[in-house]
Structure formats: structure tokens, C-alpha cells
Amino acid sequence: MKGFAPILIAVMLLAAVPLITSSNVVLNFMVMALLIALVGQGWNLLGGYGGQYSFGHAAFFGTGAYVTGILQMRYGVNAWAGFIIGIAAGALVGAVVGALSFRSGLKGSYFALVTLAFAEVLRIVASVAPITGAGVGTLIKLDLRPEAFQFQSRAPFYWIVLGMVGVSLILTRIIEDSRFGAYLVAVRENEDAARALGVDATIVKLCAMTISAAITAATGCFYAQYYLFIDAGIAYGPWISIEGLLAPIIGGIGTVFGPLLGALVVKTLGELTKLVTGGAPGLDLVIYGSVLIVVVAFAPRGIAGIFVDLRRRLSGTRGRSRD
């Protein structure tokens, strides 16, 4: 339980936000930050712990969003059931992409490009397929009832996505301390050496890819229910892949809290940039890129790494003072 205490404390502190303010602006900002944190946690599991950098997590995000939306609007499936099916569909796409990539021996930049290609192919298909609404997109009917996964205020949405982030944090902590997590790190550090020690690297990477895709698909399902609209550009666009990998890299790649810290920083910078510049197109990406360069150059382990270093220095200073 000691390892989960920081997670529980962080979740409880964040859960108090709607009790402090009822501002829709603040709650919407926090919901989007937590959404990015959730995508970042999915990417972090595969890229941070497994060393498999993906540029196409939009493929899983969009699949979850479209499946839950289409099931509701075309087949009358309950929103909560559609949410679960959407997560399963995203996990299935992740398993398929992973099986095709890893069994072909793709890694590094080749794997990154393949994931990007899959996301782009799905975007093109979704933009012309009648079942997705083609260029018009899919609009979910407004039905302000909890059983329809819709609420009168943003607070319930906030608590739900916070709960999802909390579950992802706990899951990451469990994996980090498990044998599977050790295998994953071993594959990241030296795949050939891990294979020599009897680790089935392909299965390990495939499991990580499937779990990562499921977490990302859950984000897409929530996005569709929150905004009640999805189209090809939103679902499979590069924006979610970019922010999903920026969050853990800035926050601390391969750490439990890195994606959450990074997401809060990324969204805060984005909003401040829009406030100062009046929303000049593309300038937020310039800011993100600049921050990424600074982090890589001066804090390669991200914000979480800075906190760890400070804690070690403080512990060392206290130890010397006692001596």
C-alpha cells in the first residue's frame, strides 16, 4: 500500500477541484488535461517502459471514439456498454498492429512510422466511409441522463475521467512492480539480451501494445461522450498522438506520474499561449517544440526526474547533517 499512497493522495486532491470551483472554463481545462494524461499513460506504458515509440496512438483513440458513437447512434446500444465495447475494439486494433509489426521485427523508427501510417489510413477510411458519417462525422444525440453517459454539469465528467486516470496510475504501478514490468524494461534496455535470458520479447511487446491501446481507446470513448461529436480529423488526427507522447516525455518518461505532470504542463502552456497571442494557428506547436527541446537538453528524465533528484539531494543533506 505504501507504493499506492502517492497515487491516492494525488487523486483525492484533484477530486476536490469541482468542490472548490464550479467554473466551466476551469473544469473543461482540467478534463482535457486529464484526457491527455490518460493518453500519455497509455503511450508511456509502451514507449516509456517498453521502449517502443509510437507516432500513431490516434489509431486507438479514434477507434474507441467511433465505435462507441456508432453503436449508440446506428444500433441503439447503451452508452456504457458502447464505452466498454469501444475499449475492446481499440485493444483489438492495438493487438493487430502489434502482431503485424513485432512479428515482422519492426523496431525504432520503422515501428514509429508504421503506427503513424496505420493512423493515417484509418483517418482516410473514416473520412469517406458511410458508417462513420464520412466528412460530416458522427453526432451523438443529446440525452442528459446518467444512463446515457450524459450529465447536467461537467463535474461528473471530471470525476469519471479522474477515476480513469487513477486506475491507469494504479495499473502502471502494478505493472512496474511486476515480473511483466521487469520483462518490459529488459526488452527496452537490450532486446537481444532479454531473449537470451528466455524472455519472449514479441509477446511482452504485444501485451504492452494491447494494454496501451485499450487505455488510449478509453480516452477516445470518453471524448466522444463528452463532446458528443467525432469526425475523421478529430478521431485520427495527429494532434492526439503528438500531445499523447509530449506529456510523458515532458513529465518524465518511464515514470508513473510523468504523463499526469506533463499533461498539466502541456495544457497550461497551450492555454497561456492562446491567451497571449489570441490563438495564432500553429504557435502552440512552436511552444511545445521549444519546451520539448529544453526538457531533452537539460532534464532528460522530465519533471518527475527533477523531483526525484531534489528528493535525493534533500535526503543526502539531512543524512550529512545528522552525521
Side-chain angles (χ1 to χ4, degrees), residues 65 135-140 223-232 234:
V136 178
T138 298
L139 181 65
I140 298 176
Y223 185 98
Q225 294 299 147
Y226 187 66
Y227 286 103
L228 302 178
F229 176 76
I230 197 79
D231 65 12
I234 295 173

Side-chain angles (χ1 to χ4, degrees), residues 3 14-15 25 44 71 94 98 122 127 152 163 169 171-172 188 209 245 257 263 272 314:
L14 289 172
V25 175
N44 187 46
L71 286 177
L122 289 173
S127 66
Q152 297 286 345
L169 290 171
L171 177 62
T172 303
R188 178 191 69 191
M209 183 80 163
L245 66 89
F257 282 101
L272 289 176
L314 289 174

Side-chain angles (χ1 to χ4, degrees), residues 98-106 202-203 206:
L100 294 175
S101 303
F102 299 138
R103 292 189 182 279
S104 300
L106 297 178
T202 301
I203 295 298
L206 184 58

Side-chain angles (χ1 to χ4, degrees), residues 103-121:
R103 292 189 182 279
S104 300
L106 297 178
K107 60 180 70 175
S109 58
Y110 296 103
F111 173 73
L113 291 174
V114 164
T115 56
L116 179 62
F118 268 104
E120 186 62 15
V121 168

Side-chain angles (χ1 to χ4, degrees), residues 34-64:
L34 292 175
L35 277 174
I36 298 303
L38 193 58
V39 175
Q41 198 65 267
W43 186 94
N44 187 46
L45 184 62
L46 180 66
Y49 289 95
Q52 311 302 312
Y53 283 22
S54 165
F55 287 172
H57 262 51
F60 318 130
F61 176 89
T63 298

